[in-house]
Amino acid sequence: MFILIFNQLIKMLFILILAFICYRIKLLNQEGNRNLSNLLLMIVNPCLIITTYQTDYDAKLVRGLLLAFVAALAAHLIGILIARISIRQNGNADYAIDRFSSVYANCGFMGIPLIYSVLGSEGVFYLTAYLTVFNILSWTHGLALLEGQFSLARLKEGLTSPMVIGTAVGVLLFFLQIRLPEVLLDSMNYVSNMNTPLAMIIAGLSVAQADFKKIFSNFQIYWVSILKLILFPLAVLLFLVGFKIEYTVAYTILIASACPTATTLTMMAIRFQKNYKYASEIFAFSTVLSLVTIPFVTFIAGFFL
């Protein structure tokens, strides 16, 4: 698994570097980044999820999916506990951003292409459980962190996100064993194949806008990134090993947990008038650092899973 992850991340790194160069030479700008993000979020990811569920009914897949839901919930609760213990509120005006950053992962934009490349459709099938838990908790616990209060209206917004809707449609088609027409399914597969390059182009454009001189001088970003990329996934690994979670489910949850800070944080910080520049700095730094830490975590996991 380590070799597969490492090779895939190298390929993704080349795409990220290409996007970085495109931004620097002004071939693409922030408006292009926003448009590509919308395309990936609204069209490509839901297509990939729906096509993943276009498979024969299998009791093993259903059991694995239910197990993935439980493991995903446990993983997030572990992250919330670690963040609460490790990041203090006193004297830290951005403690909410720090806690959010250390719990919620970029499991959609980065997790989907990475897991699809090493675990295939079955991995993405189980990843939908992690994505659903992520959306529910980020729009309840995560939002309560940023706003200081819980809102049913915001939860509704999270539950109506494209990936949650795509998962619901996919699950419905799977259990009813409704197959899409071959022409439509092939077209959706073509769209789904854009997932990895688009995700890394978006990441590269975001990283290109970061002020790394400022980032490298902020040691709090180092601490938050260590929590998110190393301590959190290793704690999740202990849970997965302790409860003897099935191999494919375990690696899906582990890789999703090891992904860098969620892009959702920056969007929420802008929307709710928090320190969005600081949020984007954590995202950029953790994204670059994850190219090293994800192989490290999977290498450690190889001795236990």
Side-chain angles (χ1 to χ4, degrees), residues 4 28-29 34 43 46 70 78 106 109 121 133 140 150 174 217 231 234 252 256 275-276 286 299:
L4 288 174
L28 289 170
N29 56 23
R34 187 178 299 110
I43 304 297
V70 174
I78 289 170
N106 197 4
F109 281 16
S121 295
V133 172
T140 51
F150 168 73
F174 172 73
S217 64
L231 298 183
L234 289 181
T252 298
N275 191 349
Y276 68 90
S286 65
F299 176 76

Side-chain angles (χ1 to χ4, degrees), residues 122-258:
E122 185 178 357
V124 176
F125 189 93
Y126 299 143
L127 179 62
T128 58
Y130 196 97
L131 291 168
T132 302
V133 172
F134 163 85
N135 275 285
I136 293 173
L137 289 181
S138 62
W139 286 93
T140 51
H141 166 263
L143 190 60
L145 271 177
L146 296 177
E147 279 203 305
Q149 61 181 358
F150 168 73
S151 168
L152 282 175
R154 301 301 186 197
L155 174 59
K156 180 182 177 182
E157 188 171 341
L159 292 175
T160 55
S161 69
M163 282 190 284
V164 172
I165 293 174
T167 299
V169 171
V171 168
L172 183 64
L173 295 176
F174 172 73
F175 279 104
L176 294 178
Q177 281 297 283
I178 297 174
R179 293 303 180 91
L180 297 174
E182 187 174 351
V183 172
L184 176 59
L185 186 60
D186 286 345
S187 298
M188 292 177 70
N189 280 323
Y190 288 140
V191 173
S192 301
N193 289 336
M194 295 192 294
N195 182 275
T196 299
L198 271 182
M200 296 318 296
I201 287 172
I202 292 164
L205 293 174
S206 299
V207 168
Q209 298 174 62
D211 183 353
F212 278 92
K213 289 183 180 179
K214 182 179 178 182
I215 291 173
F216 288 145
S217 64
N218 189 338
F219 290 101
Q220 184 64 14
I221 294 179
Y222 287 82
W223 175 234
V224 172
S225 297
I226 290 171
L227 286 175
K228 175 69 200 74
L229 299 174
I230 298 178
L231 298 183
F232 172 32
L234 289 181
V236 171
L237 175 61
L238 288 176
F239 164 80
L240 297 171
V241 173
F243 284 87
K244 298 180 180 179
I245 304 298
E246 188 271 329
Y247 179 88
T248 305
V249 174
Y251 263 112
T252 298
I253 300 302
L254 179 65
I255 293 171
S257 301

